[in-house]
């Protein structure tokens, strides 16, 4: 069988005339045009071989993978002459769900570059000689027709046997919600939505087997959507072992999709060990990638510090506009921060106490320059700084410290490992949030939560009940009643249209509901506060209107 292997610039130029004779235009040509060319003499194992409708890419270090000339899917992956790693389902490893791309390639020095092109999406696969990594970038001008932008590696389950438990659907006895949340015979639940990291926490994750590991390095998230605390799918098992890089999806996403260049990111192949460091990926910008913005188009923001921080909380400084998003952690003592190199432009800057926004501003970033910001106070807009008569939870933007809080992102609400969502009346001063207050409330599950609290004669005055929420299903929100006084129905907050809290995500848009209770409604001694889930929409059980709590407290009416 005639084959072509290109290695390096010299080899590429040596066949340029032959490529031209086949209708090509030089070192980067359509992969479908070259299969009849003869092998280049002296080519080493590193390079790209064209035969039988496939590009075979050899890193020269043990990783060999094949890309279909028709469409661009990866159809075979082998490491160190080991078994086939590509999944047995017959589905490819690809961007989105396969894009039917035109495939071209070139080898320049010690780098092989494959380009997959459609009218609205261009995806790049790059390898460097001697490195068992597939470096990638994706440029989009429109959302893929499947409605989400993701890289998915479909790997062989018989070889890669060590996988994250929360997203391993093997042995399930059927879907319990939609077609993507599954129950096990023992009452536990599994889904690709469970156990995923927040964007700010993304580390290399993957699957392993005997002598082999495949890991995803997610790269910067500047063109993704949802901000630093957004989490999306990373793994799914039960058929093929699936390893993802989700760049956007609409899974409880809080902002519009961003177009442009996504990445770089990479799949890393090892002998089973987790890579000790994320590899440098900046070099891919030297290879003419659409939408790439280099250092000369970026600037830096440096902040002198944050004042008024609450001890014990991490503070994050985020930047976002329609084109990009960034974040950095502030120093725990001084609040000083330096943002990563950002595309030039004007951004909304938000300071978060854990996940609660306590400060917003506008900042302009100039290419090649450092924007210096003076110290700013983050205490004034922090609801946690109001002295309450009592408080359940903390104003941190997340349903932490409540019943089941440690399990919210790892399992469905119906999972047998959860404590009951219906809790007895909560007594302020006696009950504890971690054993007596539900972080989630649904109209059809625990539709009314009752809180008992005592007041002295000196405390009878207009009071404000504040209830904070972080995510919502079907327009759910709380309505308050204190003794005989009943609030009006509050308006729904602005939230993504999502199942959210059944999908291991409590991250929507934080919202606070304030109910001003007149003094005439209060009594000396025991008072009763009822919070009832309401909505104009409907559903059943865990898909009925609901929400996640941030905190509930009572303060003197301002």
């Amino acid at each position: 069988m005639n084959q072509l292997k290109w290695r390096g610039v010299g080899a590429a130029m040596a066949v340029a005339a032959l490529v031209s004779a086949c209708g090509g235009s030089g070192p980067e040509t359509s992969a479908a045009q070259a299969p009849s060319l003869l092998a280049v003499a002296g080519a080493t194992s590193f390079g790209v071989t064209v035969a039988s409708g496939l590009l075979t890419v050899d890193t020269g270090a043990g990783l060999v993978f094949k890309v279909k000339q028709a469409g661009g899917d990866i159809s075979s992956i082998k490491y160190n002459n080991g078994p086939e790693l590509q999944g047995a389902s017959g589905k490819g490893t690809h961007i989105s769900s396969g894009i039917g791309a035109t495939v071209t390639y070139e080898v320049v020095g010690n780098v092989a570059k494959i380009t997959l092109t459609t009218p609205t999406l261009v995806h790049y696969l790059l390898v460097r000689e001697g490195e068992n990594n597939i470096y990638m970038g994706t440029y989009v001008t429109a959302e893929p027709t499947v409605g989400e932008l993701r890289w998915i590696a479909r790997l062989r389950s018989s070889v890669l046997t060590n996988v994250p438990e929360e997203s391993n659907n093997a042995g399930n006895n059927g879907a319990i919600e939609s077609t993507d949340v599954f129950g096990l015979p023992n009452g536990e639940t599994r889904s690709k939505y469970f156990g995923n990291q927040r964007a700010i926490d993304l580390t290399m994750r993957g699957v392993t087997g005997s002598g082999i590991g495949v890991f995803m390095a997610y790269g910067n998230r500047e063109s993704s959507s949802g901000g630093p605390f957004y989490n999306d799918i990373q793994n799914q098992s039960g058929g093929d072992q699936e390893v993802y890089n989700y760049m956007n999806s609409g899974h409880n996403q809080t902002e519009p999709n961003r177009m442009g260049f996504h990445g770089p990111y990479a799949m890393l192949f090892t002998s089973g060990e987790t890579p000790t460091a994320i590899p440098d990926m900046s070099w891919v910008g030297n290879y003419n990638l659409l939408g790439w913005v280099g250092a000369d188009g970026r600037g830096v923001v440096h902040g002198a510090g944050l004042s008024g921080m609450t001890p014990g909380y991490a503070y994050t400084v985020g930047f976002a506009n329609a084109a990009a998003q960034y974040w950095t952690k502030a120093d725990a003592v001084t609040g000083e921060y330096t943002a990563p190199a950002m595309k030039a432009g004007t951004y909304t800057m938000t300071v978060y106490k854990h996940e609660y926004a306590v400060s917003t501003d506008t900042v302009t970033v100039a290419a090649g320059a450092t924007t210096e910001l003076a110290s700013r106070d983050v205490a004034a807009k922090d609801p946690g700084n109001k002295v309450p008569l009592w408080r359940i939870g903390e104003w941190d933007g997340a349903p932490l410290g409540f019943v089941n809080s440690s399990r919210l992102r790892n399992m469905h609400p119906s999972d047998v490992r959860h404590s009951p969502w219906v809790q007895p009346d909560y007594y302020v001063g006696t009950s504890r949030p971690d054993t007596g207050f539900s972080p989630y409330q649904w109209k059809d599950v625990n539709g009314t939560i009752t809180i008992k609290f005592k007041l002295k004669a000196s405390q009878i005055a207009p009071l404000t009940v504040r209830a904070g929420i972080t995510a919502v299903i079907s327009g759910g929100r709380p309505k308050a009643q204190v003794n005989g006084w009943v609030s009006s129905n509050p308006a729904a907050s602005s939230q993504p249209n999502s199942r959210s809290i059944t999908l291991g995500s409590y991250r929507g848009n934080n919202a606070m509901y304030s109910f001003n209770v007149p003094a005439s409604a209060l009594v000396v001694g025991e008072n009763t506060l009822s919070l009832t889930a309401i909505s104009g929409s409907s559903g059943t059980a865990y898909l009925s209107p609901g929400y996640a709590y941030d905190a509930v407290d009572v303060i003197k009416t301002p």
Side-chain angles (χ1 to χ4, degrees), residues 106 158 179 202 269 297 312 323 326 348 379 440:
E106 63 179 327
S158 61
T179 58
L202 283 176
F269 295 80
Y326 306 91
T348 297
Y440 291 169

Side-chain angles (χ1 to χ4, degrees), residues 277-326:
I278 296 173
D280 172 42
M281 294 187 268
S282 61
W283 60 270
V284 305
N286 298 324
Y287 291 86
N288 299 319
L289 309 185
L290 285 173
W292 178 272
V293 177
D296 58 352
R298 297 174 179 269
V300 173
V301 174
H302 173 259
L306 304 174
S307 62
M309 295 189 300
T310 302
Y313 284 94
Y315 282 76
T316 299
V317 184
F319 304 85
N321 62 20
Q325 61 173 9
Y326 306 91

Side-chain angles (χ1 to χ4, degrees), residues 456-509:
K456 300 175 183 178
S458 60
Q459 295 173 314
I460 302 297
L463 300 178
T464 297
V465 175
R466 302 188 300 179
I469 61 175
T470 72
V472 167
I473 293 179
S474 299
R477 64 272 197 192
K479 178 178 180 177
Q481 177 174 346
V482 178
N483 300 325
W485 175 87
V486 181
S487 74
S488 59
N489 291 343
S493 58
S494 176
Q495 300 288 345
N497 180 17
S498 173
R499 289 176 279 161
S500 61
I501 59 180
T502 69
L503 302 182
S505 174
Y506 58 74
R507 177 74 282 124
N509 295 318

Side-chain angles (χ1 to χ4, degrees), residues 436-448:
F437 193 85
S438 174
Y440 291 169
Q441 185 175 9
W442 296 267
K443 189 175 181 180
D444 287 0
V445 177
N446 52 353
T448 296

Side-chain angles (χ1 to χ4, degrees), residues 221-309:
R221 314 302 293 170
E222 69 179 4
S223 297
S224 295
S225 301
F229 313 120
Y230 182 69
N231 60 280
D232 214 331
I233 300 167
Q234 293 176 272
N235 295 94
Q236 180 172 231
S237 305
D240 291 339
Q241 310 294 40
E242 297 170 355
V243 176
Y244 296 87
N245 179 21
Y246 259 83
M247 289 159 274
N248 66 54
S249 67
H251 299 147
N252 208 33
Q253 193 170 289
T254 56
E255 58 185 345
N257 297 328
R258 292 183 171 91
M259 299 296 104
F261 183 80
H262 292 252
Y265 52 100
M267 284 176 60
L268 315 179
F269 295 80
T270 75
S271 297
E273 70 280 4
T274 302
T276 57
I278 296 173
D280 172 42
M281 294 187 268
S282 61
W283 60 270
V284 305
N286 298 324
Y287 291 86
N288 299 319
L289 309 185
L290 285 173
W292 178 272
V293 177
D296 58 352
R298 297 174 179 269
V300 173
V301 174
H302 173 259
L306 304 174
S307 62
M309 295 189 300

